[in-house]
């Protein structure tokens, strides 16, 4: 972009580009400019060093032009003197900029995960980024020791965030430098036996919505908990559910049939939100759709309290689903279609040329599976 003297008036008038990001450089200070995203976000940046490294100063209009220009001038001056003092920003400011950057290169699901993990577990607010210590970060990480998978996910999200902060000139060293992943997870092979599966299903029938409905759908469909928890009404049509690519773990659109029992569960769900089948408890405050169900940590202990079976996690229901399909004689490639597994029996050249949806085969498998559920749980009151 050609250089121009940046003013508050000219910055306010900058239109967002149709795609990509455009940087408008300041004529009065070499290396200083404002970057505009397609969404209209305007961020002050400074380019420095022989490799033309780009660092972010702050977002306009939260940061005024005069303050941003002074911060950039001080930053460039320190760099010229051989010093490498980071740009001083708060955790909240850096987090906002990090999520903006993540939206440019990551899948929506990844951005949602970063947003949830960093906002929920690392609430440093207005604390300056360079004042956050390893002890403070790990104190929050260690609170999650009873949920090792969540603990690892939170740790990794924090590590990605702090490494991004280093690359963008906010930190010289991450507080998680040389810190190892906190939890060692072993490969799970827990499959619920018929009595356990019956106990969970019947308990879910009596448990309040939304968690009771979610557990029944996990048992009846074999899908991942995040995919069912994020279910939207528009994804359900004509006896099928279609999960869009940004809602699945592998980034592939997934269509699978609903059996009669699963359809009855969905018909029983109160429609209290226009978008989400299972809205978060506060998602319709002021009539605004914000997010889907995310109360796993609170609901599962309450659900399991009166359930007299060995410890299990919700993903074990998915493994149990696959194991029972195998016992019923379902071909492995049909089970993989139901589970939306990318790698499996149909792969390589066969996967390229085999465009068959296997929907009839999946419907047959689901019919047999629901008959099995009926046989172990007794008459289903729907």
């Amino acid at each position: 972009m050609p250089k121009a003297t940046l003013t508050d008036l000219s910055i306010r008038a900058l239109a967002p580009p149709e795609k990509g990001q455009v940087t408008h450089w300041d004529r009065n200070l070499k290396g200083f400019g404002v970057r505009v995203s397609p969404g209209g976000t305007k961020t002050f940046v400074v380019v420095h060093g022989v490799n033309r490294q780009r660092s972010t100063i702050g977002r306009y209009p939260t940061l005024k032009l005069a303050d941003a220009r002074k911060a950039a001038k001080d930053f460039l001056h320190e760099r010229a003197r051989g010093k490498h003092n980071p740009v001083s920003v708060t955790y909240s400011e850096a987090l906002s900029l990090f999520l903006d950057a993540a939206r440019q290169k990551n899948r929506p699901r990844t951005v949602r995960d970063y947003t949830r993990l960093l906002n929920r577990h690392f609430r440093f607010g207005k604390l300056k980024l360079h004042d956050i210590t390893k002890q403070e970060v790990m104190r929050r990480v260690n609170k999650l020791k009873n949920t090792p998978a969540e603990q690892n996910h939170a740790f990794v999200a924090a590590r990605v965030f702090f490494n991004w902060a280093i690359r963008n000139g906010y930190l010289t060293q991450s507080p998680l430098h040389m810190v190892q992943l906190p939890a060692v997870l072993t490969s799970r092979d827990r499959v619920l036996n018929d009595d356990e599966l019956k106990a969970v299903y019947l308990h879910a029938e009596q448990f309040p919505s939304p968690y009771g409905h979610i557990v029944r759908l996990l048992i009846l469909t074999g899908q991942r908990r995040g995919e069912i928890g994020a279910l939207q009404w528009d994804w359900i049509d004509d006896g099928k559910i279609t999960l869009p690519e940004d809602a699945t773990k592998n980034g592939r659109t997934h269509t699978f049939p609903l059996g009669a029992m699963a359809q009855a569960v969905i018909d029983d769900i109160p429609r209290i939100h226009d978008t989400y089948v299972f809205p978060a408890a506060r998602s319709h405050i002021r009539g605004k759709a914000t997010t889907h169900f995310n109360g796993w940590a609170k609901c599962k202990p309450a659900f399991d309290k009166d359930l007299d079976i060995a410890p299990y996690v919700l993903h074990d229901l998915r493994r149990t689903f696959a194991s029972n399909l195998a016992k019923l004689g379902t071909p492995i490639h049909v089970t993989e279609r139901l589970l939306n597994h990318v790698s499996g029996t149909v792969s390589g050249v066969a996967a390229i040329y085999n465009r068959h949806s296997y929907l009839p085969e999946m419907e047959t498998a689901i019919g047999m599976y629901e008959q099995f559920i009926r046989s172990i749980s007794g008459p289903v009151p729907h």
Side-chain angles (χ1 to χ4, degrees):
M1 293 291 296
K3 293 182 179 180
T5 301
L6 293 178
T7 66
D8 283 300
L9 183 63
S10 67
I11 293 175
R12 285 197 298 268
L14 293 175
E18 292 184 2
K19 61 180 180 179
Q21 295 182 336
V22 175
T23 303
H24 300 264
W25 300 107
D26 185 29
R27 180 181 294 153
N28 293 341
L29 180 59
K30 184 178 180 181
F32 173 66
V34 61
R35 184 178 59 205
V36 185
S37 72
T41 301
K42 298 169 183 177
T43 308
F44 293 114
V45 297
V46 60
V47 171
H48 53 88
V50 294
N51 294 324
R52 306 296 292 164
Q53 183 178 343
R54 185 193 305 266
S55 295
T56 304
I57 302 296
R59 182 185 292 179
Y60 180 85
T62 303
L63 184 65
K64 296 180 180 179
L65 172 60
D67 295 332
R69 187 180 276 123
K70 182 180 183 302
K73 189 178 296 184
D74 292 343
F75 180 76
L76 292 170
H77 180 64
E78 295 295 337
R79 290 276 172 167
R81 294 173 56 194
K83 296 183 179 181
H84 302 281
N85 294 332
V87 177
S88 179
V89 295
T90 66
Y91 173 79
S92 293
E93 291 169 340
L95 178 58
S96 178
L97 293 168
F98 166 74
L99 294 175
D100 280 345
R103 292 184 189 97
Q104 300 297 321
K105 67 175 185 176
N106 295 112
R107 291 170 48 205
R109 182 187 179 92
T110 302
V111 177
R112 288 199 301 269
D113 288 342
Y114 285 155
T115 303
R116 179 185 68 83
L117 292 165
L118 294 171
N119 278 320
R120 174 177 293 182
H121 302 305
F122 304 99
R123 297 176 180 175
F124 293 112
K126 294 183 178 180
L127 187 65
K128 292 294 185 181
L129 201 60
H130 55 70
D131 289 334
I132 298 175
T133 65
K134 176 172 70 175
Q135 290 74 19
E136 282 298 315
V137 176
M138 292 309 297
R139 184 171 67 84
R140 288 160 169 78
V141 170
N142 291 334
K143 285 183 178 180
L144 303 172
K145 63 182 179 181
N146 293 329
T147 52
E150 180 76 355
Q151 185 181 43
N152 277 354
H153 290 317
F155 177 88
V156 169
R159 185 170 60 189
V160 170
F161 166 72
F162 287 119
N163 287 342
W164 169 89
I166 293 173
R167 293 195 302 273
N168 284 273
Y170 299 125
L171 290 174
T172 56
Q173 182 169 304
S174 167
L176 294 179
H177 178 63
M178 300 294 289
V179 180
Q180 295 183 342
L181 202 65
V184 178
L185 300 179
T186 57
S187 176
R188 297 186 60 89
D189 57 3
R190 172 96 160 91
V191 173
L192 278 66
N193 61 38
D194 291 357
D195 289 337
E196 292 174 324
L197 188 59
K198 172 184 177 179
V200 174
Y201 190 86
L202 293 180
H203 188 45
E205 285 190 322
Q206 305 303 319
F207 200 81
S209 184
Y211 194 77
H213 286 109
I214 290 174
V215 171
R216 280 189 281 167
L217 286 178
L218 293 177
I219 291 173
L220 294 171
T221 67
Q223 304 308 305
R224 298 177 176 89
R225 74 169 199 179
E227 294 165 351
I228 295 300
L231 199 59
Q232 298 187 18
W233 292 112
D234 287 347
W235 301 351
I236 307 170
D237 181 55
D238 194 25
K240 299 185 291 294
I241 290 178
T242 298
L243 303 175
E245 60 184 18
D246 63 351
T248 62
K249 182 178 181 180
N250 58 27
R252 295 176 58 171
T253 300
H254 177 40
T255 298
F256 59 93
L258 291 169
M261 291 175 67
Q263 184 65 61
V265 172
I266 288 176
D267 292 342
D268 187 53
I269 298 170
R271 189 156 185 165
I272 59 176
H273 198 281
D274 290 338
T275 301
Y276 298 111
V277 177
F278 305 112
R282 299 179 180 272
S283 71
H284 37 284
I285 292 177
R286 301 186 185 93
K288 186 176 182 180
T290 55
T291 190
H292 51 74
F293 175 84
N294 54 20
W296 309 106
K298 181 179 180 180
C299 288
K300 188 171 186 298
F303 181 85
D304 291 347
K305 182 179 179 181
D306 298 321
L307 197 60
D308 188 21
I309 67 171
Y312 72 103
V313 297
L314 289 179
H315 194 77
D316 295 335
L317 301 178
R318 178 172 165 88
R319 188 179 299 105
T320 303
F321 174 86
S323 297
N324 283 324
L325 284 178
K327 289 194 296 185
L328 293 169
T330 302
I332 184 62
H333 63 276
V334 176
T335 299
E336 288 180 341
R337 289 292 176 122
L338 283 165
L339 296 176
N340 196 22
H341 279 175
V342 175
S343 59
T345 54
V346 181
S347 59
V349 174
I352 295 174
Y353 290 101
N354 187 352
R355 300 302 185 189
H356 180 44
S357 69
Y358 290 99
L359 192 59
E361 291 86 346
M362 287 192 286
E363 289 172 345
T364 298
I366 287 295
M368 290 192 300
Y369 177 73
E370 287 199 348
Q371 185 176 354
F372 160 74
I373 293 295
R374 290 189 186 93
S375 71
I376 66 170
S377 62
V380 182
H382 287 310

